Amino acid sequence: MKVTLSALDTYETSFTPLVVIELAQDVKEETKEWLRNRIVAKKKDGGAQLLFRPLLNKHEKETLGNDNLYLVGASRVRLLLGAEALGLVKESTDGTMRAFTHGTRHSFRGFHDDNDDFLTMAECQFIVKHELENLRARDEQMIPGCPQAKLYPGKSLLRRLLTSGVVLQVFPLHDHEALKKLEDSWYTRFSLRCQPIDRIRGYFGETIALYFGFLEYFTLALIPMAVIGLPYYLFVWEDYDKYVIFASFNLIWSTVILEVWKRGCADMTYRWGTLLMKRQFEEPRPGFHGTLGINPVTGREEPLYPSYKRQLRIYLVSLPFVCLCLYLSLYIMMIYFDLEDWALGVHDESGTEWTSVLLYVPSILYAIVIEVMNRLYRYAAEFLTAWENHRLESAYQNHLILKVLVFNFLNCFASLFYIAFVLKDMKLLGQSLATLLITSQIINQIAESLLPYWLQKKHSVKVKRKVQALKVNIDATFYEQVILEKEMGTYLGTFDDYLELFLQFGYVSLFSCVYPLAAAFAVINNFTEVNSDALKMCRVFKRPFSEPSSSIGVWQLAFETMSVISVVTNCALIGMSPQVNAVFPESKTDLVLIVVAVEHAILALKFILAFAIPDKPRHIQMKLARLEFESLEALKQQQMQLTAESLKEELRKGGKEMA
């Protein structure tokens, strides 16, 4: 029998703080009391049935003057039932991975009635976040105490509280003991060993663990390209006849590494349980709004929004805006080429050392402008995608990634395509590629890790001094932790990190045959990137909420698309090489036809390889098939039991009528 929340006592007088809610200083007591009641109310009454208390008691508030921080937690039973509702997958005692249910909890490995470690802290925080985000307005017309903050049935309360300024932020707390152990095995001691991916997953969740797993794998996959490219650069890179061999290796490399990654990813996510998680009936994202109704598939009450309105917004507003931004990017690119011509003209006239340096200035300026434009466009794309009002978080992410990737691809690579295929200047192509790659890596390292870490260290010193000066009887260590973490920056997800790797993959796979050191610079950057990203996750940003993932999502498709484009690009570069042109001195038509035929043959080989290499290893396929078979058998048994009960009921009724 399915156990429900109302059937169990999920209240506990003390609890482990999992999540912090920070309210604005001027929030009225009426609003605070309403929010508390909605959070602690039972699910059947529209609440989240969680535990909620202020960080400081009444005396401490009067002393410190800080009464806007609240702690949220949940009872053990509440968390277990939340895990069942979310479909979290755990390892059972027979070694298979199964969706957790409270009724069969004793059949899962590691579960004991007195064991609080069955669910990781990251999983507990994810459950609490899910419940808070799915608090929906029912019959309230406004937030009590905030008449300007209007509500309507189905509106996400947390979203409305955040946009109206009542709630400033919601964030999960760090577990300093577990964090210290993770740091010691991750980045504090420099070594060439592999990252502790399973520990990262246990602390930060699957999405972040998959990013670091992919970063490590991609870096290792770049090493063969770097090893081949280094001597190539030192001895023969000026002889562009020789880049045919390097381009040919590039084609095979870019295809194989992505197929091998999919297998490794499936192995990891099966072990973590996320490969089996059902995502078909995803809950609506917190920002989704519409009229409250009944989902015809799930039968649940949720906001409904006509899809035609969303399509109108996409095609009449978002698409024209993206096209306008693409045009602006191309216009700025042409300004860059005008600057290149000007610098070249100055150098030809003077020929001094200063004018030699001047040749690199347009490329450096253009690289900086590209980074600025990418970041500005990102904000606009986020606003537009949120305004489109997508129901699912996955749909929102897909549309956002598509917008950003199209612009970033054109913004970063349009100039390289123009140099390669219009100007046909291979020396300028190599120079531009090196400048764009190295400049973007330096900017990203400074902007993403070094600068935020320096600012965070300065702030931490101030907070510690302030807390140490307090002469009140409180748990200063925990209070200091909360105050420090609430002032940390918010980690906005793996989007920018994957985007950086995507652009790096483009630089290496598209044009590195004319600048073989591209892979070597990428490897060096990524070795430092692993440590800088680990540092920012542990010490610079707030702990992000865990998010279950079974793959790197749409980024896999993005990388595969880039590898297809790289086939076309490298075949074209091979066809343009003097070595190949010498074979067809008179008939350029024959050359073009042969290059196109080779390109089609390589693409066919690429798709054959993708089909021939299974996405999942054989042992994972067998385990998934076994689970599917057992599910079908269980369904048959259930149907037979229902049929038998129905037959007994009919016989019983028939016996009564005869009597």
Side-chain angles (χ1 to χ4, degrees), residues 517-542:
L517 278 186
F521 278 116
V523 169
I524 294 169
N525 175 78
N526 288 358
F527 271 119
T528 60
E529 184 84 11
V530 168
N531 291 287
S532 62
D533 282 353
L535 175 68
K536 76 180 182 184
M537 293 302 306
C538 296
R539 293 294 171 186
V540 176
F541 293 116
K542 296 182 184 74

Side-chain angles (χ1 to χ4, degrees), residues 299-313:
R300 298 174 186 169
E301 190 176 53
E302 65 178 50
L304 302 177
Y305 185 78
S307 61
Y308 77 88
K309 289 186 178 180
R310 184 180 306 113
Q311 298 302 320
L312 287 175
R313 292 184 175 190

Side-chain angles (χ1 to χ4, degrees), residues 214-487:
F214 183 74
L215 173 59
E216 180 181 276
Y217 171 81
F218 182 55
T219 304
L220 294 174
L222 282 168
I223 291 176
M225 288 284 289
V227 169
I228 295 173
L230 190 59
Y232 204 93
Y233 173 82
L234 294 175
F235 299 112
V236 298
W237 84 291
E238 288 291 350
D239 182 3
Y240 292 109
D241 292 355
K242 302 294 190 297
Y243 66 56
V244 174
I245 300 172
F246 197 82
S248 302
F249 177 78
N250 203 340
L251 294 175
I252 300 169
W253 172 83
S254 62
T255 301
V256 172
I257 64 165
L258 295 176
E259 294 304 316
V260 175
W261 161 253
K262 284 195 283 191
R263 292 171 61 83
C265 180
D267 193 50
M268 277 193 300
T269 53
Y270 177 83
R271 189 172 69 250
W272 297 340
T274 52
L275 188 64
L276 302 170
M277 284 188 69
K278 304 297 183 184
R279 305 295 289 178
Q280 302 99 304
F281 304 119
E282 229 179 312
E283 293 284 348
R285 54 186 294 270
F288 178 64
H289 57 83
T291 56
L292 197 63
I294 302 298
N295 186 312
V297 178
T298 63
R300 298 174 186 169
E301 190 176 53
E302 65 178 50
L304 302 177
Y305 185 78
S307 61
Y308 77 88
K309 289 186 178 180
R310 184 180 306 113
Q311 298 302 320
L312 287 175
R313 292 184 175 190
I314 291 172
Y315 291 110
L316 296 183
V317 179
S318 297
L319 184 59
F321 176 79
V322 171
C323 292
L324 179 64
C325 290
L326 295 178
Y327 172 78
L328 179 62
S329 174
L330 291 174
Y331 184 77
I332 291 175
M333 182 192 76
M334 298 312 297
I335 294 175
Y336 154 67
F337 284 117
D338 289 340
L339 288 175
E340 283 280 5
D341 291 338
W342 170 79
L344 188 61
V346 172
H347 178 68
D348 289 340
E349 288 179 8
S350 303
T352 63
E353 292 183 3
W354 288 108
T355 57
S356 297
V357 174
L358 184 65
L359 290 175
Y360 289 90
V361 172
S363 294
I364 294 172
L365 289 175
Y366 184 52
I368 295 171
V369 169
I370 283 175
E371 290 297 321
V372 172
M373 288 179 63
N374 285 345
R375 294 176 189 276
L376 291 175
Y377 177 81
R378 166 75 186 275
Y379 294 126
E382 286 178 345
F383 172 80
L384 277 177
T385 311
W387 178 71
E388 289 166 7
N389 196 27
H390 296 280
R391 177 181 176 271
L392 302 180
E393 183 65 26
S394 57
Y396 169 84
Q397 289 295 333
N398 289 344
H399 281 79
L400 175 62
I401 289 171
L402 180 62
K403 288 186 184 71
V404 174
L405 283 189
V406 169
F407 180 80
N408 277 258
F409 182 84
L410 189 75
N411 203 27
C412 295
F413 299 117
S415 62
L416 300 178
F417 278 97
Y418 186 83
I419 294 170
F421 303 117
V422 178
L423 300 181
K424 298 182 181 180
D425 187 340
M426 296 304 157
K427 187 172 183 179
L428 179 59
L429 178 61
Q431 174 188 312
S432 299
L433 174 60
T435 306
L436 289 174
L437 176 63
I438 296 170
T439 305
S440 65
Q441 288 178 346
I442 292 172
I443 292 173
N444 285 327
Q445 289 283 6
I446 294 173
E448 292 181 7
S449 299
L450 298 180
L451 182 60
Y453 178 70
W454 178 71
L455 294 173
Q456 180 58 31
K457 286 289 286 184
K458 286 187 66 177
H459 176 73
S460 298
V461 172
K462 290 181 182 178
V463 171
K464 286 180 180 179
R465 286 175 182 168
K466 192 185 228 181
V467 173
Q468 287 169 1
L470 296 173
K471 304 296 183 183
V472 293
N473 184 24
I474 64 168
D475 182 357
T477 304
F478 182 67
Y479 178 75
E480 178 185 322
Q481 177 189 347
V482 175
I483 298 301
L484 272 173
E485 290 185 24
K486 86 179 183 72
E487 297 297 333

Side-chain angles (χ1 to χ4, degrees), residues 98-124:
R98 301 178 186 278
F100 175 79
T101 60
H102 186 269
T104 60
R105 59 192 182 278
H106 293 288
S107 65
F108 287 87
R109 182 166 294 173
F111 182 88
H112 303 288
D113 288 328
D114 57 349
N115 178 18
D116 291 331
D117 297 329
F118 178 70
L119 296 174
T120 66
M121 189 174 182
E123 288 172 333
C124 295

